Amino acid sequence: MEQQQRKSKRHIWRYPIAGICSAIVLFTIAQAASTFFGTASSPLVALGSTIIDFTPPWLKDLAIGLFGTNDKLFLFITLSITAALLAATVGLATARSLALGLSLVIGLSVVLGASVLSRSATNFLDLIPTIVGTILGLGTLTLLAGMATRAGVPTVHPQSENTTSRRKFLLGSAGTVALGLLAVGATQALRTIRNTADSARAALGLPPAKVKAQAPPPGAELDVPGASRFVTPNQDFYRIDTALSVPQIDPQDWSLKIHGMVEKEFTLTFNELLDMDLVEHYLTLTCVSNPVGGDLVGNAKWLGYPLRELLAQAKPLPGADMVLSTSIDGFSASTPLEALTDSREALLAIGMNNEPLPLEHGFPVRMVVPGLYGYVSATKWVVDLEVTRFQDKAAYWTTRGWSERGPIKMSSRIDTPRSFAKLPVGKVVFGGTAWAQTTGVSKVEIRIDNGPWQEVELATELSADTWRQWRFEWSDATAGNHSATVRMTNAQGELQTEDTAAPVPNGSSGWHRLQFSVE
Ligand SMILES: Nc1nc2c(c(=O)[nH]1)N[C@H]1C(S)=C(S)[C@@H](COP(=O)(O)O)O[C@H]1N2
Ligand SMILES: [Mo]
């Protein structure tokens, strides 16, 4: 008896492994099966998205601050570690009783299923991947827990039995995991072959713009090494969204419903949009989460149809003051109706820098609105526009502690030198950018240490909707530690505020300052 107890203690490690293996099988099989349903039918994606939706603003901000656009990788790693710990605990429970372990798995699967169903654009059919994964996960747990238990029973040839049972257990574990991974690999390959959004994007020839954008004047680019370019290449453009997996939309399946407080509701198809009089416009997009000096800002040439014209066709009713735009993945933004009907070039965009929108930037259709942070205006994968009132509806981030309106705060940034750079004595070249969308930048000043404010050279302005690069030469940089501070003035003569504010609830403010040394 004593002998047996010691033995089972020695084999106890097999149970957590059995638990982890069955979790891997559950998730990989469900992931594989989700290929045949909507993306949110993967319990991993659904759970991750649900967590993102419930992440308090301060934590989201901290994650973006710490990990930048890798915040989702961070979420994924945290999620994996948590899942592994949970699975190990469930495994250990089976050492006590298999029924207990199996019930725990079923309980956790119910949570997974609930998070799948809670996603927008899922229905009961999307539960199938979770159910199939759970069945195979339960099977794996039963099998491996059985092997673990048999290994704990003493026999007449303890030694040899011990090694074979261990080998069997390890083989069994490795085998189930390998099968799961194989299933994911195979379906992933299938997904790539069938990926209609990717191939539709590749096949899409953008129609020419009826109104071409004015080309940036030669002076719009200052070419300071280490400073950002005037136009941000698509692959370098910051990406912020709540989508764990990029929505895949076949343009032929896309349509936009315009409804709510309008005289005439209608639905727009992609082909209809292609046939409309499209315009081009350069516009600098900014994220409300951008910290002072941060890089969640980019400038691109957008091709699209003016939302002003689209809304004119729907004829908003008196009293309406907001348009709630909703993405296929459930994200929504509240944009003041005025910003979409006044003279600014707010677009229902299909093109970015002469290409169809990249998938992660909203293919096939998104919104971009000059002067407003992305969270209240730049809905990607947009499928629904509801004309309504601020007092009746609230958008995604508004219900999570951010302001219902988000005009972009004027801002300026030092791109080069970098913080804590070590530079040789002599000439130091500073470069950066400043933006005040819809108003325009009229002056940028720099201060070295606590010296006087000095005006910098400004790039030629393309329009008030785009940022302006700047350049400054400090010709007699002296050895020692220094700081540089930058500030701007907008075209109405208003100076950028020195008061610092955190991104929550409506955008950061304060002067960008950095330290460097000259030696
Ligand atoms: N569908 C969807 N659209 C979205 C978001 C989102 O989470 N989901 N985020 C918004 C935010 S906060 C910003 S700053 C911009 C960023 O656009 P980009 O990723 O193309 O730079 O998209 C906006 N549109
Ligand atoms: Mo954002």
Side-chain angles (χ1 to χ4, degrees):
M1 189 60 208
E2 217 176 58
Q3 163 86 351
Q4 185 175 340
Q5 259 185 7
R6 228 186 26 241
K7 261 193 160 322
S8 30
K9 270 227 178 74
R10 264 195 29 221
H11 293 294
I12 201 78
W13 60 269
R14 297 187 186 192
Y15 293 96
I17 290 190
I20 291 175
C21 289
S22 57
I24 292 176
V25 168
L26 191 160
F27 281 113
T28 50
I29 294 297
Q31 182 68 33
S34 74
T35 312
F36 305 100
F37 303 85
T39 33
S41 71
S42 154
L44 208 57
V45 170
L47 189 64
S49 312
T50 309
I51 292 175
I52 291 178
D53 288 354
F54 284 101
T55 304
W58 62 267
L59 189 61
K60 176 218 170 208
D61 225 51
L62 185 74
I64 291 181
L66 286 176
F67 307 103
T69 358
N70 281 331
D71 56 338
K72 285 191 197 90
L73 181 66
F74 167 71
L75 169 72
F76 182 73
I77 292 170
T78 323
L79 203 61
S80 306
I81 294 173
T82 315
L85 288 176
L86 256 175
T89 313
V90 170
L92 266 181
T94 56
R96 199 156 265 247
S97 123
L98 181 61
L100 174 64
L102 297 181
S103 331
L104 285 175
V105 174
I106 293 173
L108 290 170
S109 294
V110 169
V111 174
L112 292 177
S115 84
V116 168
L117 280 187
S118 77
R119 305 310 303 161
S120 65
T122 54
N123 57 38
F124 281 97
L125 277 183
D126 291 306
L127 284 180
I128 293 175
T130 307
I131 294 172
V132 174
T134 304
I135 292 171
L136 293 182
L138 290 171
T140 309
L141 190 60
T142 311
L143 184 83
L144 294 178
M147 286 178 162
T149 308
R150 273 192 298 285
V153 179
T155 62
V156 274
H157 305 295
Q159 218 34 57
S160 65
E161 181 64 11
N162 212 356
T163 27
T164 24
S165 79
R166 182 168 68 216
R167 191 171 307 145
K168 261 195 194 155
F169 176 80
L170 290 178
L171 270 177
S173 312
T176 49
V177 170
L179 271 179
L181 294 179
L182 209 69
V184 173
T187 46
Q188 215 56 41
L190 190 71
R191 198 190 281 254
T192 320
I193 295 168
R194 294 191 328 170
N195 194 328
T196 38
D198 251 337
S199 42
R201 181 177 182 273
L204 180 67
L206 285 181
K210 181 91 174 197
V211 182
K212 284 223 164 293
Q214 180 199 344
E221 186 78 76
L222 286 180
D223 257 325
V224 180
S228 51
R229 305 290 85 190
F230 176 67
V231 175
T232 315
N234 288 355
Q235 63 273 18
D236 300 338
F237 208 96
Y238 81 94
R239 174 187 166 200
I240 290 287
D241 53 62
T242 59
L244 256 194
S245 67
V246 176
Q248 312 275 328
I249 306 176
D250 182 342
Q252 292 315 315
D253 298 336
W254 178 88
S255 68
L256 178 72
K257 195 174 160 206
I258 296 125
H259 64 113
M261 297 174 68
V262 292
E263 257 175 53
K264 196 175 140 253
E265 298 195 352
F266 62 94
T267 301
L268 183 73
T269 67
F270 193 70
N271 286 337
E272 285 166 349
L273 179 55
L274 289 181
D275 283 341
M276 295 171 120
D277 288 347
L278 304 181
V279 306
E280 281 177 336
H281 190 63
Y282 282 92
L283 177 165
T284 301
L285 198 65
T286 315
C287 182
V288 68
S289 295
N290 195 37
V292 171
D295 56 8
L296 300 179
V297 52
N299 186 39
K301 183 173 79 176
W302 307 91
L303 171 73
Y305 187 66
L307 280 154
R308 186 189 336 109
E309 311 281 346
L310 198 70
L311 286 165
Q313 290 163 35
K315 298 199 174 69
L317 295 174
D321 64 0
M322 186 256 268
V323 174
L324 187 74
S325 51
T326 308
S327 152
I328 196 156
D329 68 354
F331 168 90
S332 60
S334 54
T335 313
L337 180 62
E338 201 197 334
L340 303 179
T341 47
D342 64 15
S343 63
R344 80 185 83 183
E345 210 66 288
L347 296 181
L348 188 63
I350 60 169
M352 182 175 180
N353 292 332
N354 304 320
E355 278 178 28
L357 292 174
L359 263 52
E360 59 274 20
H361 292 292
F363 182 82
V365 184
R366 75 174 303 171
M367 287 175 41
V368 284
V369 182
L372 302 180
Y373 286 122
Y375 84 108
V376 287
S377 68
T379 305
K380 306 192 267 189
W381 315 290
V382 64
V383 291
D384 191 285
L385 297 183
E386 181 184 357
V387 179
T388 177
R389 301 188 300 179
F390 275 105
Q391 68 185 85
D392 295 338
K393 291 277 159 79
Y396 186 92
W397 287 114
T398 309
T399 59
R400 288 166 177 79
W402 297 74
S403 303
E404 62 178 16
R405 291 163 204 254
I408 298 176
K409 297 182 182 176
M410 63 171 113
S411 192
S412 53
R413 183 179 83 188
I414 303 170
D415 290 352
T416 186
R418 297 269 161 205
S419 228
F420 302 115
K422 289 186 171 48
L423 307 162
V425 240
K427 189 174 83 174
V428 173
V429 178
F430 291 87
T433 179
W435 58 88
Q437 292 93 324
T438 68
T439 312
V441 177
S442 68
K443 184 164 80 174
V444 173
E445 296 164 290
I446 192 171
R447 181 173 68 186
I448 310 290
D449 302 323
N450 287 318
W453 286 100
Q454 305 181 66
E455 224 174 302
V456 305
E457 176 194 350
L458 264 182
T460 312
E461 178 174 75
L462 172 65
S463 91
D465 294 342
T466 55
W467 61 13
R468 279 176 90 172
Q469 317 306 115
W470 59 263
R471 183 180 187 281
F472 178 77
E473 239 181 75
W474 185 24
S475 45
D476 48 358
T478 48
N481 291 326
H482 296 288
S483 76
T485 312
V486 68
R487 67 180 193 188
M488 62 153 283
T489 302
N490 74 12
Q492 288 166 352
E494 211 181 317
L495 177 69
Q496 178 186 348
T497 180
E498 187 181 5
D499 297 341
T500 58
V504 185
N506 57 14
S508 65
S509 70
W511 295 341
H512 186 209
R513 177 171 187 264
L514 56 77
Q515 252 128 40
F516 60 97
S517 66
V518 172
E519 43 203 37

